[in-house]
Amino acid sequence: MEHTKQGGNAKEMIVVFLAFFASTLSALYTVLWLWHEVVFITMLITLIVTGFVIRKAFADHLKVEWTNLLRKYWYFLPFIGYSFLSIFWSTHMDISIYRWVILVCTFIMSWYFGQKYSGKKFQSFILVFAVYVIFMTIGVTISDLIIGMPTLDPLRGFFWHRNHTGLFLTFLGFISLINVIRFREKKGWHFYSAIMLYTISIFGVILTKSVSSIFTSLILHGMIPIFLFWLKIKNQIKKWHYIVFAVMVVIIFVAVLLNLDMVFGLFGRQANLTGRVPMWKNTYNLYFLQRPFFGYGFNAFWYQPSHRMVIGTVSDLPAIVIADNGFFDILISGGAVGLFLFLFFYVALWVEPVRAVIRAKTLFDCVPFM
């Protein structure tokens, strides 16, 4: 009986590990994802992994109540449907098809994991995958140093860009910190392994020199004591307290906007985000205005070599391979219509995390929001 249970756990771990690995394929090591063949291979791997997940769903006898599912998550459909339709006017139809298939497969796998596992159980899977990424990062870094690539300044690790590595480590550090708090009263191996992973993660984030990662990490660390304090006093808080807090947030936000040079200077950056702002303006003027409503097709824009070269040249930068701004990439690929549908979907996604915070009794209830 115990042997069967262990075998089942091993199969579950393999399925989840494959799903995580498939989700990172486009970000691994170098910009291979700009090659059509690689995107096609990524799609095939994602389809195979999704097949395993669907097979596992049937084996677990998970029942799909389509009516309730569509009623609850109907806001997914407009963006998914529009992304599919954009295939027919895409500048790279094959790329848009591949990317759309990956999008749908991601939704299917996310649904399965959400149905099958609790948040804490899923966190354990994330931590196991994170350990794999850390070991691979160490291995890749050593390999690059041997062949003379300066990968430690900044640390790029397992992914093609330091921002991927930094944000992954930021997420890992946050989950590890939550587990340190969770297991602080039971000083077992969970507690000490969480401390070790947290230390490695924070050290790695610093080595990446990724401002987005450092900034995100600071925000997450700041939210934890705020939520702990709020959970203690929330029964005594009046409506006007929330209004005062909201006004303070707005004032701070405006103050930051008015002093962007000083704020970014603290991180060794400029307010133009290392040339990104001029690059966005050039992309908007040169290309977006040619197809303002429907764009260039789902995920297709940067697969045109001339787009990358022209934007890089006029922006006084190397050839651009990505806008470094997810909202802008959706705008240029899907047009104003695509961005509107995505924002509708994106805002709707916040409903459940906000409800979870309102009902929260412990810090762990606030984790989805954070």
Side-chain angles (χ1 to χ4, degrees):
M1 186 77 175
E2 185 65 28
H3 178 74
T4 304
K5 184 178 179 181
Q6 289 177 357
N9 288 336
K11 288 180 180 178
E12 287 182 358
M13 178 60 73
I14 290 171
V15 170
V16 177
F17 182 87
L18 287 173
F20 286 169
F21 182 75
S23 73
T24 62
L25 280 174
S26 296
L28 295 183
Y29 199 64
T30 186
V31 288
L32 287 174
W33 54 269
L34 282 174
W35 299 6
H36 287 227
E37 298 82 359
V38 172
V39 178
F40 179 68
I41 292 170
T42 302
M43 183 196 73
L44 288 180
I45 293 173
T46 306
L47 281 171
I48 292 169
V49 174
T50 306
F52 277 119
V53 169
I54 293 172
R55 185 169 177 268
K56 192 76 170 61
F58 279 109
D60 294 338
H61 304 291
L62 286 181
K63 294 182 180 179
V64 183
E65 297 180 0
W66 293 106
T67 304
N68 292 335
L69 198 64
L70 293 175
R71 186 185 298 120
K72 188 174 182 180
Y73 299 110
W74 62 272
Y75 52 85
F76 286 66
L77 298 179
F79 180 69
I80 295 176
Y82 178 79
S83 299
F84 174 77
L85 289 176
S86 75
I87 290 168
F88 297 102
W89 64 77
S90 174
T91 53
H92 287 283
M93 181 179 284
D94 54 342
I95 293 294
S96 292
I97 291 172
Y98 301 157
R99 291 295 190 181
W100 183 80
V101 169
I102 291 171
L103 175 68
V104 173
C105 288
T106 302
F107 276 116
I108 293 171
M109 289 189 284
S110 300
W111 168 82
Y112 171 75
F113 295 136
Q115 292 291 310
K116 176 69 176 174
Y117 304 112
S118 67
K120 293 178 181 177
K121 178 74 171 177
F122 197 64
Q123 279 185 33
S124 66
F125 288 135
I126 293 171
L127 292 175
V128 171
F129 182 74
V131 171
Y132 161 78
V133 171
I134 288 172
F135 276 111
M136 290 301 297
T137 295
I138 293 171
V140 168
T141 302
I142 292 173
S143 174
D144 285 349
L145 287 171
I146 290 172
I147 63 176
M149 292 182 65
T151 56
L152 280 175
D153 190 27
L155 176 70
R156 177 173 58 86
F158 190 45
F159 300 104
W160 76 272
H161 196 278
R162 62 196 172 109
N163 281 346
H164 290 299
T165 304
L167 288 169
F168 183 87
L169 291 173
T170 296
F171 179 59
L172 172 60
F174 171 69
I175 295 297
S176 299
L177 182 56
I178 291 295
N179 282 332
V180 169
I181 297 170
R182 176 183 166 195
F183 296 112
R184 68 186 183 279
E185 294 179 359
K186 301 177 181 178
K187 300 290 194 296
W189 72 272
H190 287 94
F191 176 78
Y192 293 109
S193 61
I195 289 178
M196 182 183 68
L197 284 174
Y198 175 74
T199 304
I200 292 172
S201 301
I202 296 304
F203 184 63
V205 168
I206 294 170
L207 282 179
T208 63
K209 296 183 179 179
S210 166
V211 173
S212 58
S213 306
I214 294 170
F215 202 64
T216 303
S217 187
L218 289 173
I219 291 173
L220 289 172
H221 278 72
M223 290 178 78
I224 291 175
I226 288 173
F227 273 117
L228 285 172
F229 178 71
W230 174 73
L231 287 168
K232 281 188 175 182
I233 66 168
K234 74 172 186 175
N235 292 329
Q236 286 79 45
I237 297 178
K238 307 298 182 184
K239 186 177 180 180
W240 69 267
H241 291 123
Y242 289 108
I243 296 173
V244 170
F245 179 76
V247 171
M248 288 175 60
V249 169
V250 171
I251 292 172
I252 292 171
F253 180 73
V254 172
V256 169
L257 285 180
L258 294 175
N259 296 276
L260 284 177
D261 286 323
M262 183 189 74
V263 173
F264 283 103
L266 296 174
F267 298 96
R269 296 292 189 273
Q270 298 173 332
N272 69 0
L273 301 178
T274 324
R276 288 177 179 85
V277 174
M279 181 263 287
W280 295 333
K281 290 179 180 178
N282 291 328
T283 307
Y284 180 90
N285 292 326
L286 291 173
Y287 291 104
F288 171 76
L289 294 178
Q290 293 183 23
R291 295 191 176 196
F293 297 108
F294 303 109
Y296 291 78
F298 183 60
N299 248 228
F301 180 78
W302 295 111
Y303 284 86
Q304 183 65 36
S306 61
H307 293 167
R308 303 197 296 269
M309 292 298 296
V310 169
I311 296 301
T313 300
V314 300
S315 304
D316 197 25
L317 294 167
I320 306 298
V321 297
I322 192 171
D324 270 353
N325 182 325
F327 296 107
F328 190 86
D329 268 334
I330 291 172
L331 176 67
I332 198 74
S333 292
V337 175
L339 180 62
F340 172 79
L341 293 175
F342 176 78
L343 289 175
F344 177 76
F345 155 64
Y346 178 72
V347 171
L349 279 177
W350 278 93
V351 172
E352 284 303 318
V354 170
R355 285 177 177 170
V357 166
I358 293 172
R359 298 190 298 260
K361 295 181 179 179
T362 69
L363 176 67
F364 308 108
D365 297 325
C366 303
V367 168
F369 178 90
M370 291 189 281

